[in-house]
Amino acid sequence: MQKEVSSGFVEITPTAEIDAKRHGGRAKCLQRLIRLDMPVPRTIALDFGAVHGVSAGDMPDLDQMLTLFGAEPLVSVRPSSEDPDWGGPGAILNIGMNDAVHAKLCKTHGETAANALYLRFIQSYAVHVGRLDPDEFEIFSSPTADALRAALELYEEETDEYFPQDPKEQLAEILRSMARAWEGTTARLLRQAKGAPADAGLGLVVQKMVLGVGQGICGSGVIQFVNGVTGHREIRGRYLCKSQGRDALTEAEDRDVMYLTRDPRGRSIEEVLPENFADLLRYGDLCRTRLREEMEIEFTIENDELFILDAVRVARAERANVRIAVSLAKDKVISREEAVLRIPPRALTELLHSQIDPEGTRDAFSHGIAASPGAATGKIVFNARAAQAMAAQGEDCILVRRETSPEDIRGMHAAKGILTIRGGITSHAAVIARGLGLPCVVGAGDLVLDKKKGKLKAADGREFGEGDVISIDGSVGEALAGAVDMLPPELGDSFQTLMTWADSFRDIGVRANADTPPDARNARMFAAEGIGLCRTEHMFIDDDRLLAMREMIFADHAEDRRAALDRLLPMQRADFTELFEIMQGQPVCIRLFDPPLHEFLPHGREGLRELAEALDLPLRDVERRVAGLREFNPMLGMRGVRLGVTVPEIYDMQARAIFEATIDASNSGAPIVPEIMIPLVSAKREVEIVKARIDAVAAAVRIERSAEFDYRLGVMVETPRAALRAGEIAQHASFMSFGTNDLTQMTYGLSRDDAGRFMGEYVAQGVYEEDPFHMLDADGVGELLQIGADRGRGENADLTLSICGEHGGNPESIRFCRDAGFDYVSCSPFRVPVARLAAAHLAITSPRADNV
């Protein structure tokens, strides 16, 4: 077995000790190609330690290295990082070109070919080693003797040195330049952004040049056997034909044009060089079956002889990645487990939503926070009514607001996308948009909204008015001028197959947060195992319901409140019945009314006047009542269970609607066992009071309808005290669902709607590792979850545990919940596939003891 010599490099042979973790992925791939008997030119590899030494001035034995490549070596140097996605310095070709080699090539290959090879090397060396202005050298585009002479003179003028003629000196400077480029701050930050560790190493491969020029048919190209956008099998690539020193691109109309496959536009390798083409097909199949991947092969043909220079994983969109992984598994090339693991969970968002075509143009005028993935194009509207009006006319619109409130819900439903000036990842706009599957950009603080003039002003001075067309990209947080080309969602057979395999592996449940029938249908479409959070307050936004809700708020006596709520009862019953029927016997967890009452009242004077007319009350009385309901900190005020205790008629009505809907839906389908969740609990007595009233309503409905039904009562843990007192609260609950949005707010003392103003700076300075509203804080909030889970199950072993905040769809949060023994997570419908796949990854890579 060949061993690495003390000179700091090793020749890549079938038996050489090449390790991707020491020499990089490219070096290891080249060894695999050699083992498959592909015609790879002689190649040597420098490991990470050797390259690091080069950056510090410790050069390997270059005399010994160059001896391997003959008396007049011509070589290339390419980077070889552990993961190709981490990048690296660009490859440099034709090292060893000098005046003597140029003169010899002029005789053997023609002056034009020799000029082109030498000129290309001078340009690369000047830019990457000499750090000279690339624009000055790019002007030498024609490989003439004059251009070559001018390039050499320019190099001498800029450096006060002759262009190096010694191959050893050339190679030494190139190795040093590439090594130091990798060690530089910019390169380190770029690769860290792609997931590389700070101390990631770089290997280098030095390979004998195959020039691809000669007297016969010569050229170079790349070939791949799959479409990188769709994932479908097809031959793609390009071939640069070089015959007798003349270059011709395959797209050009020239007699030297050569295509890969038969083409009516001209000659092809398949026809002219059928043996070479057959070898390329065979090598592609070997890569697929033996390397277990779809590869792009870089090749050169010199005087009809084929050489394989490199092979890299085909660059692909995520939709193509899914199809490729599923295809490989179906063909038994990889296992189903590996196919599932090859798809990053968050990558599924590209398949679930429309995306901006990466090959199209982008004219961004604002950058904010990517709050809900996908992309949309539409006309600007500045309020919910305008959005509804435009949707009624069949036109697409983008709702632009400083920030959204519950009053905007109908407009959000009508819009194709949402853009807000304020807000963070868990702001009202962000949460609702994710639930609706709408693209959303929040926190676009570089925009100025002038409501009076109806103008949106960008930082670059551009102004947009109502009706102007814009696009938003919720996946990257950009707003763009005009319409853009889109790619549609991709939920075909490959996606469905992948998700079926994922479900067969995962061991934690995944439900959806769904407030409306369309939400529930999306939950079913994405195979959620029920509804983990149904926020009933969103059912009161329609005009007919909103007026009844406001009458209830303005009522002075319990009898008057009940009368107003009696009008809402049949509407709520119909809502719940439809949800139960859509979910077809799957569990539905309904959160009782949660928000403060003032959110259902108008804010502007015009809205107050309309309300006064509708209620037949003096405007002054309406203003006085609205002012009286305002709170200094409404999110910590009269909301959630506090309303249920002080205004019990609301929960009485909702409980009755749930139970009557349970009976109606069970009569026409599978038996329903509704789950009723009490929000914002902080004390055992709150649960006792509400439970007693709900039990009483259940008893009354059973008698009135002569029907039996079961239900489960639980609590939503959103306050630190509820987590700390979970043991005594669990005595009266069948389940506990942790609302991590509010729990994070209360634990940190942060408003999720305002945190976006400074959170970026906090993360940048290391105050927080990540935005705690975006990524579950496992140390702080997570400890409260663990305490609550342990104490709750300590008193009630059958207690069902879950989280239903926006964290429920994050792979990192799912890991925490799975490790903590939670039964399920619940998230927005369009994040359900992400959660299902993330859970499958965890089950495959970290199997539980009881599953082994």
Side-chain angles (χ1 to χ4, degrees):
M1 178 179 293
Q2 182 170 348
K3 296 187 178 181
E4 189 159 348
V5 297
S6 59
S7 52
F9 61 86
V10 61
E11 182 178 356
I12 300 178
T13 65
T15 58
E17 294 182 358
I18 302 295
D19 185 351
K21 294 186 180 300
R22 196 158 62 96
H23 295 90
R26 173 171 271 123
K28 187 61 184 178
C29 181
L30 285 168
Q31 184 183 51
R32 288 169 175 160
L33 299 182
I34 292 170
R35 287 173 174 172
L36 295 173
D37 292 327
M38 295 190 194
V40 178
R42 172 168 276 182
T43 308
I44 64 102
L46 284 77
D47 66 21
F48 297 168
V51 175
H52 180 69
V54 168
S55 70
D58 184 11
M59 195 65 63
D61 187 340
L62 296 185
D63 288 322
Q64 183 180 356
M65 182 187 299
L66 289 172
T67 299
L68 296 172
F69 298 104
E72 294 182 332
L74 277 179
V75 299
S76 65
V77 179
R78 302 171 190 260
S80 180
S81 56
E82 183 176 339
D83 187 328
D85 290 338
W86 297 349
I92 297 183
L93 312 179
N94 304 331
I95 303 164
M97 279 296 301
N98 53 28
D99 293 347
V101 174
H102 172 260
K104 182 176 180 181
L105 288 176
C106 284
K107 296 177 181 178
T108 59
H109 291 71
E111 184 178 355
T112 302
N115 290 343
L117 293 169
Y118 200 4
L119 185 59
R120 178 185 296 177
F121 177 54
I122 294 169
Q123 291 169 322
S124 296
Y125 192 93
V127 172
H128 297 292
V129 179
R131 303 296 173 186
L132 303 181
D133 185 353
D135 292 338
E136 294 191 21
F137 284 86
E138 284 178 0
I139 63 174
F140 306 118
S141 57
S142 180
T144 63
D146 289 341
L148 179 60
R149 187 180 308 108
L152 288 169
E153 291 174 352
L154 178 61
Y155 181 88
E156 182 180 346
E157 178 183 335
E158 293 290 327
T159 63
D160 293 327
E161 296 177 350
Y162 291 114
F163 189 81
Q165 298 293 302
D166 183 359
K168 178 180 176 181
E169 179 185 351
Q170 293 174 358
L171 182 58
E173 292 302 322
I174 286 168
L175 294 177
R176 183 181 294 110
S177 173
M178 297 177 79
R180 289 179 176 175
W182 178 263
E183 303 273 348
T185 301
T186 300
R188 176 173 52 79
L189 292 176
L190 285 174
R191 63 178 176 267
Q192 282 184 275
K194 297 177 181 179
D199 60 349
L202 175 72
L204 293 173
V205 295
V206 182
Q207 186 178 78
K208 181 180 180 180
M209 284 293 303
V210 180
L211 300 179
V213 294
Q215 300 304 312
I217 296 177
C218 305
S220 59
V222 293
I223 185 170
Q224 61 187 58
F225 307 90
V226 69
N227 187 311
V229 175
T230 67
H232 291 296
R233 297 282 294 171
E234 61 180 85
I235 295 176
R236 298 169 65 88
R238 63 185 185 274
Y239 182 66
L240 179 62
C241 181
K242 303 174 183 177
S243 179
Q244 297 176 348
R246 296 191 302 105
D247 293 357
L249 291 172
T250 57
E251 291 78 9
E253 291 296 330
D254 188 281
R255 67 185 182 87
D256 285 334
V257 166
M258 191 169 292
Y259 299 88
L260 293 173
T261 58
R262 296 177 186 273
D263 194 294
R265 293 171 293 178
R267 299 183 304 160
S268 69
I269 296 178
E270 183 178 9
E271 295 171 295
V272 178
L273 300 170
E275 293 184 3
N276 291 154
F277 184 75
D279 284 340
L280 285 171
L281 296 182
R282 182 166 58 86
Y283 295 152
D285 187 61
L286 278 173
C287 285
R288 186 174 191 270
T289 56
R290 300 291 293 278
L291 302 187
R292 305 183 314 123
E293 184 55 277
E294 294 287 359
M295 305 291 283
E296 179 182 86
I297 297 175
E298 182 181 352
F299 66 95
T300 291
I301 296 175
E302 187 170 284
N303 296 324
D304 303 351
E305 185 178 359
L306 176 66
F307 295 90
I308 303 301
L309 307 183
D310 198 8
V312 297
R313 179 179 180 271
V314 171
R316 65 199 65 171
E318 294 303 339
R319 57 189 65 208
N321 197 25
V322 169
R323 179 171 277 112
I324 290 169
V326 170
S327 175
L328 290 171
K330 284 184 174 180
D331 292 344
K332 303 288 193 282
V333 176
I334 62 176
S335 66
R336 292 182 176 183
E337 289 89 342
E338 185 172 349
V340 168
L341 291 176
R342 284 191 178 192
I343 310 302
R346 286 190 174 90
L348 290 184
T349 56
E350 181 182 308
L351 283 75
L352 305 178
H353 305 273
S354 295
Q355 300 289 327
I356 294 178
D357 189 338
E359 298 180 357
T361 57
R362 300 173 72 100
D363 180 13
F365 65 85
S366 178
H367 300 268
I369 298 172
S372 182
T377 294
K379 294 182 177 179
I380 291 177
V381 294
F382 293 119
N383 58 64
R385 288 185 179 179
Q388 290 176 277
M390 195 162 287
Q393 297 170 11
E395 294 190 77
D396 295 342
C397 66
I398 304 294
L399 178 61
V400 180
R401 304 282 285 165
R402 282 200 179 91
E403 58 186 334
T404 61
S405 68
E407 288 183 326
D408 295 312
I409 290 291
R410 286 171 291 170
M412 297 170 79
H413 276 272
K416 293 297 181 181
I418 302 163
L419 171 64
T420 68
I421 313 300
R422 298 181 59 194
I425 197 69
T426 53
S427 62
H428 179 269
V431 172
I432 299 303
R434 286 193 291 270
L436 297 175
L438 290 176
C440 178
V441 176
V442 301
D446 55 352
L447 295 175
V448 176
L449 178 58
D450 189 331
K451 282 188 175 182
K452 291 184 179 179
K453 293 182 179 180
K455 294 291 183 181
L456 183 69
K457 187 172 183 179
D460 61 8
R462 281 187 284 182
E463 289 189 352
F464 301 87
E466 191 161 60
D468 289 344
V469 175
I470 64 171
S471 302
I472 62 170
D473 188 340
S475 300
V476 299
E478 285 186 346
L480 305 103
V484 294
D485 295 332
M486 296 281 190
L487 297 176
E490 177 56 64
L491 304 177
D493 292 342
S494 296
F495 171 80
Q496 300 298 340
T497 299
L498 179 79
M499 298 313 301
T500 298
W501 292 346
D503 288 340
S504 69
F505 300 127
R506 65 182 171 87
D507 51 17
I508 186 172
V510 179
R511 296 194 195 179
N513 301 340
D515 308 331
T516 65
D519 291 343
R521 293 188 186 94
N522 284 333
R524 292 285 296 177
M525 178 176 69
F526 292 127
E529 297 171 302
I531 294 177
L533 173 63
C534 173
R535 292 161 287 211
T536 54
E537 57 269 17
H538 293 159
M539 300 175 175
F540 297 111
I541 300 300
D542 290 342
D543 286 336
D544 54 345
R545 305 181 184 202
L546 190 57
L547 180 59
M549 191 68 185
R550 288 170 172 175
E551 288 180 359
M552 186 275 297
I553 294 172
F554 273 76
D556 293 320
H557 305 289
E559 295 79 5
D560 298 329
R561 286 195 290 270
R562 276 192 289 268
L565 289 167
D566 283 345
R567 291 171 53 197
L568 290 171
L569 174 62
M571 303 175 193
Q572 280 267 275
R573 182 173 59 236
D575 290 334
F576 296 139
T577 300
E578 188 173 5
L579 283 180
F580 292 150
E581 290 173 346
I582 291 170
M583 298 311 293
Q584 299 178 7
Q586 288 188 322
V588 177
C589 183
I590 299 168
R591 184 181 73 183
L592 298 175
F593 192 86
D594 178 50
L597 294 177
H598 78 87
E599 287 193 2
F600 293 85
L601 299 175
H603 303 296
R605 189 168 183 82
E606 181 181 349
L608 292 173
R609 185 179 294 107
E610 291 176 357
L611 179 58
E613 291 175 356
L615 298 178
D616 193 24
L617 290 172
L619 177 60
R620 181 172 298 177
D621 290 351
V622 171
E623 290 175 334
R624 187 181 301 115
R625 179 63 65 89
V626 170
L629 287 170
R630 290 199 182 100
E631 298 176 284
F632 290 107
N633 193 336
M635 299 314 294
L636 297 178
M638 181 72 79
R639 55 168 287 217
V641 69
R642 299 156 195 168
L643 278 172
V645 171
T646 59
V647 189
E649 296 82 11
I650 299 175
Y651 283 8
D652 288 350
M653 180 276 291
Q654 289 193 301
R656 175 173 286 275
I658 292 169
F659 296 141
E660 291 180 353
T662 297
I663 295 170
D664 294 342
S666 297
N667 287 338
S668 59
I672 307 297
V673 181
E675 298 175 356
I676 300 175
M677 184 158 63
I678 308 171
L680 209 70
V681 165
S682 59
K684 175 182 72 170
R685 183 58 183 157
E686 291 172 325
V687 182
E688 292 174 340
I689 292 171
V690 174
K691 183 178 186 300
R693 293 191 70 98
I694 290 176
D695 287 344
V697 173
V701 172
R702 288 189 179 106
I703 294 171
E704 294 168 12
R705 299 287 294 269
S706 299
E708 288 297 321
F709 57 84
D710 292 322
Y711 65 94
R712 303 177 73 221
L713 185 70
V715 299
M716 192 169 184
V717 179
E718 302 166 271
T719 67
R721 191 179 194 278
L724 296 172
R725 307 304 298 168
E728 59 187 29
I729 292 173
Q731 299 171 15
H732 305 284
S734 298
F735 63 88
M736 280 186 171
S737 189
F738 291 81
T740 51
N741 294 347
D742 274 335
L743 186 56
T744 299
Q745 281 196 119
M746 296 188 188
T747 302
Y748 275 83
L750 281 177
S751 164
R752 66 187 184 190
D753 293 317
D754 297 316
R757 294 182 176 184
F758 61 86
M759 190 56 67
E761 188 68 22
Y762 259 50
V763 172
Q765 295 196 34
V767 179
Y768 302 145
E769 184 176 343
E770 183 56 80
D771 182 344
F773 295 109
H774 179 61
M775 193 84 69
L776 179 68
D777 167 27
D779 296 330
V781 178
E783 185 174 0
L784 286 172
L785 264 65
Q786 190 69 65
I787 290 171
D790 293 343
R791 294 181 180 179
R793 284 226 170 117
E795 290 292 331
N796 181 354
D798 296 325
L799 188 70
T800 299
L801 297 172
S802 67
I803 68 169
C804 59
E806 281 301 298
H807 295 101
N810 288 342
E812 297 80 6
S813 306
I814 296 170
R815 177 187 297 277
F816 178 90
C817 293
R818 182 174 178 267
D819 291 344
F822 281 41
D823 296 282
Y824 69 87
V825 298
S826 188
C827 54
S828 303
F830 281 85
R831 302 183 81 186
V832 165
V834 175
R836 290 162 61 196
L837 185 58
H841 277 216
L842 293 170
I844 294 169
T845 58
S846 304
R848 289 172 170 168
D850 54 353
N851 291 342
V852 176

